[in-house]
């Protein structure tokens, strides 16, 4: 009987160590740049990108989200949910575009959300990041992010 409890305790310990491991440690980047047209755009790294405008309308403070890009294809997405700040892991890479909207596209995967491929470009000396995509249900959506040096409150 003692052996059964010992085995059960060992199985429980292994199970708990596997299930309580942080997802953050296992989150890896998406498709890394390789030969061809994919790359990590260094113009995206080095600051926080705060959502400023959606389809020409300034966003309310409780609808602001933040993007942070690292040069290895990883990053973070900060958002408020019911007034509480949350941070999700992201994966990203860029590619050359062959459309009339922009020369570049970004592929962005936010943990727990559907992947997105968007056209992007910069204005105001690289301090504003425009991201635009088309969805057959909503039409064209344009997000404007502005570069900020520090993570804004309450994140």
């Amino acid at each position: 009987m003692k052996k059964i409890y010992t085995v059960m305790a060992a199985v429980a310990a292994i199970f708990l160590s596997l299930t309580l491991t942080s997802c953050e440690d296992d989150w890896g980047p998406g498709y890394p740049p390789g030969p061809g047209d994919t790359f990590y755009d260094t113009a995206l790294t080095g600051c926080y990108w705060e959502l400023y405008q959606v389809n020409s309308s300034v966003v309310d403070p409780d609808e602001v989200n933040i993007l942070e890009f690292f040069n290895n294809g990883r990053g973070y997405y900060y958002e408020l949910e019911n007034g509480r700040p949350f941070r999700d892991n992201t994966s990203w890479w860029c590619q050359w575009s062959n459309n009339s909207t922009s020369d570049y596209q970004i592929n962005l995967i936010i943990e727990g959300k559907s992947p997105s491929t968007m056209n992007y470009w910069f204005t105001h000396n690289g301090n504003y990041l425009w991201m635009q995509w088309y969805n057959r249900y909503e039409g064209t959506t344009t997000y404007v992010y502005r570069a900020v040096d520090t993570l804004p409150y309450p994140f």
Side-chain angles (χ1 to χ4, degrees), residues 11 27 29-30 38 42 44 50 56 58 66 73 82 88 92 96 110-112 115 118 121 138 140 148 155:
V11 169
W27 184 258
T38 59
T42 57
L44 293 167
E50 177 183 46
S56 302
V58 175
I66 310 288
N82 298 321
D88 292 315
W92 66 279
W96 298 102
I110 299 172
E111 189 173 13
M118 300 163 276
W121 64 94
E138 299 173 17
T140 301
V148 293
F155 301 103

Side-chain angles (χ1 to χ4, degrees), residues 2 16 27 35 45 56 60 78 111-112 118 127 129 147:
K2 207 174 201 182
L16 287 174
W27 184 258
T45 63
S56 302
D60 292 327
Y78 303 88
E111 189 173 13
M118 300 163 276
N127 291 311
L129 167 64

Side-chain angles (χ1 to χ4, degrees), residues 43-56:
L44 293 167
T45 63
C47 66
Y48 298 98
W49 294 99
E50 177 183 46
L51 182 62
Y52 173 69
Q53 194 174 305
V54 177
N55 292 336
S56 302

Side-chain angles (χ1 to χ4, degrees), residues 11-133:
V11 169
I14 291 170
F15 176 76
L16 287 174
S17 71
L18 292 174
T19 58
L20 296 178
T21 311
S22 170
C23 294
E24 217 169 353
D25 297 337
D26 297 332
W27 184 258
Y31 304 103
D37 67 348
T38 59
F39 60 96
Y40 296 136
D41 190 342
T42 57
L44 293 167
T45 63
C47 66
Y48 298 98
W49 294 99
E50 177 183 46
L51 182 62
Y52 173 69
Q53 194 174 305
V54 177
N55 292 336
S56 302
S57 297
V58 175
V59 297
D60 292 327
D62 60 339
E63 295 175 357
V64 167
N65 63 57
I66 310 288
L67 288 168
E68 183 179 17
F69 299 98
F70 303 126
N71 61 7
N72 63 356
R74 297 180 187 214
Y76 293 121
Y77 174 77
Y78 303 88
E79 68 178 331
L80 293 174
E81 291 181 13
N82 298 321
R84 295 184 49 187
F86 282 91
R87 181 183 81 181
D88 292 315
N89 295 301
T90 63
S91 175
W92 66 279
W93 70 97
C94 301
Q95 62 195 31
W96 298 102
S97 174
N98 59 357
N99 63 49
S100 60
T101 303
S102 170
D103 291 334
Y104 310 108
Q105 290 182 322
I106 185 167
N107 299 282
L108 181 63
I109 302 169
I110 299 172
E111 189 173 13
K113 300 184 185 327
S114 297
S116 299
T117 299
M118 300 163 276
N119 295 304
Y120 77 97
W121 64 94
F122 299 95
T123 61
H124 298 83
N125 294 320
N127 291 311
Y128 283 77
L129 167 64
W130 296 67
M131 298 175 133
Q132 185 180 75
W133 67 96

